[in-house]
Amino acid sequence: MAKWTGRSKARKNNIVEFGKEMVRRSKSTCELCGESGRSLSVYEIGKTDENADFERCVHVCDECKDTIKKLNKAGENDLRFLNHAIWSEENTVKAAALHIISEIEDRSRYSWIEDLMDMVYIDNDLKDICERMKH
């Protein structure tokens, strides 16, 4: 158990180290909803036992993070931030939005999600990032 705890702590420290890069990439705005002036943190999409991966991390505000954590309890408009994220120029942010959508148990509750998914173009780079987020 001590090995796992040590690895977990090292992993967390690794994610925190991404902070400066995340601030540059996000320009101090939430990468999911686009809001600025909010407290931001590094949020890793998906779970893995490997080292933290910068391409699986997004800079998010507390509101978006809380919504993701309660994903299947979110109301019709609570996930509208995905509309912003899916059109990001950063493939990591697009992949995060796609991953979040894939985690929703009942997408039919959100009338706009299927229309959004129909408009998204997924190239090979984006597909690769999406695959990493699954594992």
Side-chain angles (χ1 to χ4, degrees):
M1 183 154 161
K3 285 184 180 179
W4 187 87
T5 303
R7 189 168 50 183
S8 178
K9 188 174 183 176
R11 179 180 181 69
K12 185 176 181 179
N13 289 339
N14 189 246
I15 291 171
V16 171
E17 289 175 13
F18 293 153
K20 288 181 182 177
E21 292 176 69
M22 298 299 290
V23 169
R24 280 187 214 112
R25 186 178 81 189
S26 71
K27 298 178 181 108
S28 298
T29 63
C30 176
E31 291 185 292
L32 296 180
C33 69
E35 293 292 325
S36 59
R38 293 184 175 179
S39 175
L40 301 172
S41 58
V42 177
Y43 186 82
E44 187 175 20
I45 304 293
K47 301 289 182 217
T48 183
D49 291 327
E50 300 169 15
N51 291 330
D53 180 358
F54 183 72
E55 287 194 357
R56 292 178 54 242
C57 294
V58 289
H59 216 192
V60 299
C61 66
D62 291 339
E63 189 173 325
C64 287
K65 184 167 51 174
D66 291 343
T67 301
I68 294 168
K69 288 182 178 182
K70 307 179 282 188
L71 190 59
N72 290 303
K73 294 181 181 182
E76 168 75 16
N77 292 315
D78 293 340
L79 299 175
R80 292 280 183 176
F81 65 85
L82 295 172
N83 219 354
H84 176 271
I86 208 86
W87 298 115
S88 172
E89 292 181 14
E90 289 292 332
N91 273 345
T92 301
V93 177
K94 286 182 191 180
L98 291 168
H99 181 82
I100 293 165
I101 290 169
S102 75
E103 294 288 307
I104 299 170
E105 290 173 4
D106 181 13
R107 284 198 244 173
S108 65
R109 292 180 27 215
Y110 309 98
S111 59
W112 51 273
I113 284 185
E114 290 309 317
D115 291 338
L116 181 63
M117 293 301 291
D118 288 343
M119 291 186 277
V120 176
Y121 173 72
I122 301 174
D123 63 17
N124 288 334
D125 290 340
L126 181 56
K127 192 175 194 175
D128 290 343
I129 296 169
C130 288
E131 284 299 315
R132 276 196 301 252
M133 287 182 179
K134 287 183 184 179
H135 305 287

